[in-house]
DNA sequence: GCATGCGGGCGTT
DNA sequence: AACGCCCGCATGC
C-alpha cells in the first residue's frame, strides 16, 4: 500500500529516521517504546481511528494536540505521565432501539464528564415517537474492554496508538454534540410555537455554534483555501436545507463537502483536500451515512477516510441513500428533544441541522496547521465513512461507565462485530498487521474470559431486558469504521490480552456479554462479526429485541472472510459476550450502577438530542452490512495512513 | 456546565 | 508490576 503515502506528507514527510519504519514507521513502533522513531511523514488526521492503529501526527496537528477523536474518549489514568491514555465511552442509544424516520438510529455522543453522562442516561429518546430512554452502549471493542487511545508527544511529532475496534456505532461528532448543547441551552422551549421560533433561531444559533465549535475543535484549521469559503458550520451542511442542524439531511451532501477539509490535510496531503470535499460529504451526517453504510463498505467510504478516497466516498454512496433517508428523517429525527416531543414539528427550518451533519463530517477537519501553514484539513475522510456507519445503532444500554452496562445490547454488538470485520477490510485504512491477527485471537480469548466474568456479573439483568440491543445498527458502523482509519497492529494483540483480562471488570463487560451472546449463537462466534452487523440491522429493524439470535445466523456471512482478523476477534467476542450477562464482572464501579441513577435525573433537558438527526442514523445503512466488509481497502489505504497495510 | 488533564487510590491479573 | 477504572481537583472555555 501504499503507502505511504502517507501521504504525506510532503511537507512533512519526513521519514522516519532510523528504523525500518521508514516506510511504515507507524507500524513499527509502539507507544510504549522507550524510543519512538522519528517520523517525518505525518499521517493525516483521522477523527475516527478504529482498530489497532498507529499514527504519527505533526506537531501542528491541532486535533492531535488536543488528543481529539470522533469517538467519545475519556481520560484514564495510566500512571504514566508521558503517555496519555483515553478509553472509549461508547455511544448513547435509545433503549428501544427505535428507528428514526429516516431509518437511522439514535447514536448520541456520551458526555465525557461522568456527571454529565449520567444525566444523559435515562433521558427520553430524542425521537419523540419513541418512548425509549437514552442508554449508553458501552464500548467493548478491545477484548471486551473499551477501546483505548494512547497519545505521546515528542519533540517532532505526536504519536497516537489505538487498541481495539469499536463495537458500537459512532457517536455524533463533537462538533455536533457541542452544537446541540449550545442549542440545547436554548431548547427548553416547549411550546410548539416556541419550537418554531427556535427553529429559526436555532438554525442560526446552531450555525453559529457550530461555527464556533468547529473552530474550537477543528474547524478552525480550516485550510486556507477551503476555509475561505466555508464557513465552517455552514459549510458543513449546507445550509440550504431547512433541516435542523444536525439533522439536516437534505442537503447534506452538497453542503458537506465544504467542510471536509479537515485535518489531514495538514501534513499530508494536500491531495486530500479534494477528498475532503468529498469527504465532507462523507462525513455527512450519520444520517447520510446510514444509507451510506452500504456504500461504504465499499470502497468509497473507506477511501474517504483514510485517505483521499474519502472524498469520493462520501458523496457517493451515502449521499444518495442517505438522502432518501433523510427526507424521511427529517421529520422524525431531528428535532431536538423538545422538538421531538413536539412531534415533529418543525424541523424544517433548521437549516442548521444540516450543519450539524456537516459538522460531523467535519469534525475532523480542523487543523490548522499553523506551523506548516498548511491547512490541514484532513478531510476527514475517515470521518465520512464513519459517519455513515452510525445510524444503525441500537440501543443497548451500556452504560458504560457510569452505569452499568446493559446487556441488551447484545444484539447490537453482534452487529458490531460485523463492523469490525468490515473495518478491517482494507478499505478502511486499516493497517492491519500480521500481528493483529494474533492480537485478535488473543482478544477473543480474553473476551471469553469476559463473558464468563460478566456472566457472573449482576448487571446482566439489564441487558437481558434490553436484549434488543442494537448493535445491529452498527452495521452502519462498519461502514463508518471503514471509512475511518482502521488499522491493525501486530503488537496490539498483546495488549488485548492483557487488556481483556484486566478489563473484564470494567464496565463494558456486561454489554459485551450481551452482545456477545447474541452473536454467539451458533456459529457466530467467529465470523459473526460482520455478518452479524448486517444481520443485526436486519434484525433490529425487523425485530429489535430478539434480533440477536436470529441475527446470528446471519453473521456467518462471507464477510467474515473479509477480515479474518477482525472477524475473528469479533467472533470470539461475541460468543463470549453472552456470558457476560451476568455480571459486570467486576467491574468497576461505574458499571454497576444502574442507569437509574443517571437516567432520569436530568431529564429536563433533553435538549441535547434535539437534533435528532444527529442521533440517528439512517437505517438504511444497515442493510448494507455486507458491503462493509468488502470494502476495499482502497480508500483508506491510500491515505496516508499508512498503509502499512500491506499485509492482507 | 463541560471537556480535559492529572494524579491518588484500589482492585485484578 | 502493569493495568483498568473510580474519584476528586484544577483549568479553561
Ligand atoms: Zn427511541
Ligand atoms: Zn468504542
Amino acid at each position: 500500500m501504499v503507502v505511504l503515502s502517507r501521504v504525506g506528507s510532503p511537507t512533512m514527510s519526513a521519514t522516519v529516521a532510523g528504523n525500518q519504519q521508514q516506510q511504515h514507521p507507524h507500524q513499527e513502533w509502539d507507544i510504549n517504546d522507550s524510543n519512538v522513531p522519528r517520523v517525518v511523514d505525518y499521517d493525516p488526521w483521522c477523527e475516527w481511528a478504529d482498530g489497532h492503529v498507529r499514527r504519527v501526527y505533526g506537531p501542528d496537528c491541532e486535533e492531535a494536540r488536543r488528543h481529539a477523536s470522533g469517538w467519545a474518549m475519556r481520560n484514564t489514568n495510566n500512571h504514566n505521565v508521558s503517555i496519555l491514555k483515553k478509553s472509549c465511552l461508547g455511544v448513547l442509544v435509545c433503549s428501544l432501539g427505535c428507528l428514526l424516520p429516516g431509518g437511522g438510529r439514535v447514536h448520541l455522543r456520551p458526555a465525557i464528564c461522568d456527571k454529565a453522562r449520567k444525566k444523559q442516561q435515562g433521558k427520553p429518546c430524542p425521537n419523540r415517537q419513541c418512548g425509549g430512554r437514552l442508554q449508553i452502549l458501552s464500548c467493548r471493542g478491545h477484548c471486551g474492554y473499551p477501546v483505548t487511545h494512547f497519545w505521546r508527544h515528542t519533540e517532532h511529532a505526536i504519536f497516537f496508538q489505538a487498541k481495539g475496534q469499536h463495537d458500537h456505532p459512532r457517536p455524533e461528532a463533537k462538533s455536533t454534540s457541542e452544537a446541540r448543547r449550545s442549542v440545547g441551552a436554548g431548547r427548553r422551549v416547549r411550546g410548539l410555537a416556541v419550537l418554531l421560533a427556535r427553529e429559526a433561531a436555532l438554525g442560526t444559533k446552531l450555525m453559529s455554534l457550530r461555527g464556533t465549535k468547529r473552530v474550537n475543535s477543528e474547524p478552525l484549521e480550516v485550510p486556507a483555501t477551503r476555509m475561505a469559503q466555508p464557513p465552517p458550520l455552514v459549510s458543513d451542511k449546507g445550509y440550504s436545507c431547512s433541516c435542523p442542524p444536525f439533522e439536516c439531511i437534505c442537503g447534506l451532501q452538497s453542503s458537506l463537502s465544504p467542510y471536509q477539509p479537515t485535518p489531514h490535510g495538514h501534513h499530508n496531503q494536500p491531495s486530500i483536500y479534494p477528498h475532503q470535499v468529498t469527504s465532507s460529504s462523507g462525513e455527512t451526517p450519520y444520517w447520510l451515512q446510514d444509507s451510506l453504510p452500504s456504500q461504504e463498505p465499499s470502497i468509497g467510504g473507506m477511501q474517504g477516510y483514510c485517505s483521499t478516497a474519502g472524498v469520493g466516498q462520501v458523496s457517493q454512496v451515502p449521499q444518495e441513500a442517505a438522502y432518501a433517508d433523510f427526507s424521511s428523517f427529517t421529520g422524525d429525527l431531528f428535532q431536538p428533544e423538545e422538538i421531538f416531543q413536539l412531534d415533529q414539528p418543525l424541523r424544517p427550518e433548521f437549516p442548521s441541522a444540516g450543519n450539524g451533519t456537516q459538522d460531523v463530517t467535519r469534525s475532523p477537519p480542523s487543523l490548522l496547521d499553523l506551523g506548516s501553514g498548511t491547512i490541514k484539513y484532513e478531510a476527514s475522510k475517515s470521518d465520512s465513512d464513519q459517519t455513515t456507519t452510525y445510524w444503525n445503532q441500537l440501543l443497548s444500554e451500556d452504560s458504560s461507565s457510569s452505569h452499568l452496562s446493559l446487556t441488551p445490547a447484545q444484539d447490537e454488538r453482534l452487529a458490531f462485530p460485523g463492523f469490525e470485520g468490515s473495518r478491517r477490510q482494507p478499505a478502511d485504512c486499516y493497517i492491519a498487521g500480521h500481528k493483529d491477527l494474533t492480537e485478535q485471537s488473543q482478544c477473543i480469548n480474553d473476551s471469553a474470559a469476559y463473558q464468563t466474568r460478566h456472566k457472573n456479573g449482576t448487571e446482566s439483568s439489564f441487558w437481558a431486558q434490553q436484549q434488543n440491543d442494537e448493535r445491529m445498527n452498527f452495521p452502519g458502523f462498519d461502514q463508518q469504521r471503514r471509512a475511518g482509519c482502521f488499522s491493525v497492529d501486530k503488537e496490539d494483540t498483546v495488549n488485548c490480552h492483557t487488556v481483556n483480562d484486566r478489563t473484564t471488570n470494567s464496565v463494558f463487560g456486561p454489554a459485551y456479554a450481551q452482545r456477545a451472546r447474541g452473536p454467539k449463537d451458533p456459529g457466530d462466534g467467529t465470523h459473526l462479526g460482520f455478518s452479524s452487523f448486517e444481520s443485526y440491522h436486519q434484525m433490529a429493524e425487523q425485530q429489535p429485541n430478539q434480533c440477536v439470535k436470529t441475527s446470528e445466523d446471519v453473521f456467518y456471512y462471507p464477510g467474515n472472510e473479509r477480515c479474518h482478523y477482525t472477524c475473528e476477534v469479533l467472533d470470539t467476542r461475541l460468543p463470549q459476550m453472552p456470558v457476560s450477562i451476568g455480571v459486570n464482572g467486576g467491574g468497576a464501579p461505574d458499571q454497576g450502577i444502574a442507569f437509574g441513577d443517571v437516567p432520569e435525573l436530568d431529564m429536563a433537558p433533553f435538549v441535547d438530542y434535539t437534533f435528532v438527526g444527529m442521533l440517528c442514523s439512517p437505517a438504511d445503512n444497515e442493510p448494507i452490512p455486507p458491503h462493509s466488509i468488502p470494502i476495499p481497502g482502497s480508500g483508506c489505504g491510500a491515505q496516508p495512513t499508512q498503509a502499512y497495510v500491506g499485509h492482507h
Side-chain angles (χ1 to χ4, degrees):
Chain A
M1 331 183 50
V2 181
V3 170
L4 352 198
S5 30
R6 300 175 149 249
V7 168
S9 2
T11 38
M12 323 232 3
S13 43
T15 59
V16 176
N19 318 324
Q20 319 159 344
Q21 302 174 343
Q22 305 170 343
Q23 299 178 342
H24 309 286
H26 301 293
Q27 295 182 341
E28 308 301 342
W29 54 271
D30 183 273
I31 201 79
N32 293 309
D33 290 345
S34 55
N35 296 306
V36 192
R38 275 194 177 181
V39 177
V40 179
D41 230 359
Y42 301 99
D43 292 308
W45 167 253
C46 179
E47 184 175 18
W48 300 99
D50 197 358
H52 292 78
V53 179
R54 292 187 186 121
R55 292 187 161 243
V56 179
Y57 298 113
D60 56 341
C61 177
E62 183 179 337
E63 286 93 346
R65 287 188 297 195
R66 291 190 291 111
H67 307 144
S69 176
W71 302 102
M73 306 297 295
R74 71 170 171 188
N75 185 326
T76 57
N77 183 13
N78 64 340
H79 301 283
N80 183 332
V81 181
S82 60
I83 300 173
L84 176 63
K85 179 180 179 178
K86 303 182 101 173
S87 58
C88 182
L89 290 168
V91 61
L92 265 178
V93 298
C94 171
S95 59
L96 298 180
C98 64
L99 288 176
L100 296 177
R105 294 182 188 247
V106 176
H107 53 283
L108 298 177
R109 186 183 190 80
I112 304 301
C113 171
D114 293 346
K115 184 178 178 183
R117 198 181 326 121
K118 287 183 179 180
K119 288 181 180 180
Q120 292 179 314
Q121 299 189 36
K123 285 187 179 182
C125 173
N127 178 347
R128 322 172 152 186
Q129 300 176 355
C130 173
R133 295 185 303 168
L134 293 176
Q135 299 181 327
I136 290 178
L137 176 58
S138 58
C139 178
R140 57 179 173 79
H142 187 199
C143 306
Y145 295 93
V147 169
T148 51
H149 284 181
F150 297 87
W151 293 93
R152 179 173 173 177
H153 293 243
T154 64
E155 297 176 76
H156 307 291
I158 298 173
F159 291 83
F160 167 78
Q161 184 169 354
K163 296 181 179 180
Q165 291 194 332
H166 298 275
D167 59 346
H168 53 86
R170 294 180 184 179
E172 46 183 1
K174 283 185 183 176
S175 57
T176 307
S177 63
E178 292 179 356
R180 257 200 272 123
R181 267 199 224 160
S182 54
V183 172
R187 24 174 144 148
R188 289 250 174 152
V189 179
R190 304 137 189 146
L192 298 181
V194 176
L195 296 179
L196 298 178
R198 288 184 181 179
E199 294 175 353
L202 294 178
T204 51
K205 292 179 181 179
L206 295 179
M207 307 289 295
S208 61
L209 294 178
R210 291 180 181 178
T212 54
K213 293 178 180 180
R214 292 177 181 177
V215 173
N216 301 342
S217 47
E218 333 153 302
L220 311 186
E221 307 164 354
V222 179
T225 52
R226 301 185 175 182
M227 306 253 334
Q229 328 177 329
L233 306 184
V234 176
S235 52
D236 297 339
K237 232 186 151 182
Y239 306 81
S240 41
C241 55
S242 48
C243 312
F246 303 91
E247 315 162 358
C248 148
I249 306 166
C250 26
L252 304 185
Q253 306 166 344
S254 55
S255 48
L256 301 181
S257 349
Y259 259 118
Q260 301 278 309
T262 16
H264 329 27
H266 312 324
H267 324 329
N268 310 303
Q269 2 191 335
S271 52
I272 299 172
Y273 292 107
H275 301 301
Q276 295 175 347
V277 176
T278 46
S279 58
S280 51
S281 54
E283 292 184 352
T284 52
Y286 306 130
W287 7 84
L288 298 182
Q289 297 178 348
D290 294 3
S291 48
L292 301 184
S294 37
Q295 308 170 351
E296 70 126 61
S298 30
I299 321 163
M302 304 291 299
Q303 298 172 343
Y305 277 99
C306 303
S307 16
T308 50
V311 175
Q313 30 172 345
V314 176
S315 50
Q316 307 171 342
V317 180
Q319 296 176 343
E320 300 174 353
Y323 286 108
D325 300 347
F326 290 93
S327 54
S328 56
F329 291 102
T330 38
D332 306 334
L333 312 179
F334 317 66
Q335 313 209 338
E337 303 168 355
E338 296 177 353
I339 296 174
F340 292 103
Q341 297 175 347
L342 296 180
D343 305 300
Q344 328 174 352
L346 340 171
R347 10 222 106 114
E349 306 187 267
F350 292 22
S352 48
N355 301 343
T357 48
Q358 296 175 349
D359 295 1
V360 175
T361 30
R362 335 168 45 293
S363 37
S366 24
L367 306 191
L368 344 165
D369 341 311
L370 318 179
S372 40
T374 42
I375 308 170
K376 311 175 166 195
Y377 284 81
E378 301 192 341
S380 28
K381 315 163 179 183
S382 40
D383 297 351
S384 54
D385 297 349
Q386 300 172 346
T387 40
T388 47
T389 330
Y390 299 111
W391 358 98
N392 312 304
Q393 322 169 349
L394 312 177
L395 343 165
S396 46
E397 310 178 348
D398 300 47
S399 54
S400 32
S401 37
S402 28
H403 312 299
L404 306 187
S405 33
L406 319 178
T407 37
Q410 305 170 345
D411 304 17
E412 300 174 355
R413 308 239 159 183
L414 298 181
F416 289 105
F419 286 90
E420 298 176 356
S422 47
R423 296 179 180 179
R424 295 190 176 179
Q425 298 174 350
D428 300 346
C429 309
Y430 304 102
I431 302 177
H434 315 313
K435 296 177 181 179
D436 295 347
L437 299 178
T438 55
E439 292 178 357
Q440 296 176 342
S441 61
Q442 295 176 346
C443 293
I444 297 172
N445 299 340
D446 295 346
S447 8
Y450 270 118
Q451 296 175 343
T452 55
R453 295 178 184 177
H454 293 297
K455 294 177 180 179
N456 299 339
T458 51
E459 295 177 357
S460 54
S461 59
F462 288 104
W463 298 97
Q465 296 173 348
Q466 299 178 346
Q467 301 175 347
N468 303 334
D469 296 356
E470 326 286 332
R471 304 228 160 183
M472 332 162 38
N473 301 332
F474 294 108
F477 292 100
D478 297 349
Q479 297 174 346
Q480 296 177 346
R481 295 180 180 179
R482 297 172 183 174
C485 326
F486 306 105
S487 58
V488 178
D489 294 348
K490 309 165 185 180
E491 297 174 359
D492 297 348
T493 45
V494 175
N495 299 336
C496 296
H497 296 295
T498 55
V499 175
N500 298 338
D501 302 345
R502 297 175 184 175
T503 0
T504 30
N505 298 336
S506 60
V507 177
F508 307 82
Y512 278 107
Q514 297 174 348
R515 298 176 183 178
R517 296 174 182 178
K520 294 178 179 181
D521 301 4
D524 320 359
T526 32
H527 310 297
L528 302 181
F530 298 14
S531 42
S532 52
F533 281 107
E534 298 174 354
S535 55
Y536 276 106
H537 293 299
Q538 299 173 347
M539 305 287 301
E541 296 174 352
Q542 299 173 347
Q543 308 170 346
N545 305 336
Q546 302 110 1
C547 313
V548 178
K549 297 176 180 180
T550 39
S551 53
E552 296 178 350
D553 300 350
V554 177
F555 296 102
Y556 299 74
Y557 291 52
N560 297 341
E561 298 173 356
R562 303 171 184 172
C563 11
H564 303 295
Y565 308 97
T566 355
C567 298
E568 294 176 351
V569 175
L570 298 177
D571 296 348
T572 52
R573 295 177 185 176
L574 298 178
Q576 297 174 347
M577 303 304 291
V579 177
S580 53
I581 303 167
V583 177
N584 299 341
D590 297 352
Q591 304 171 338
I593 312 133
F595 346 115
D597 344 354
V598 177
E600 308 48 345
L601 303 180
D602 312 35
M603 325 212 12
F606 311 72
V607 177
D608 305 353
Y609 314 106
T610 24
F611 306 115
V612 178
M614 316 216 27
L615 308 181
C616 20
S617 23
D620 306 348
N621 303 340
E622 301 174 357
I624 304 168
H627 38 317
S628 48
I629 305 166
I631 306 177
S634 53
C636 300
Q639 294 206 337
T641 31
Q642 351 257 357
Y644 304 145
V645 190
H647 318 43
H648 317 329

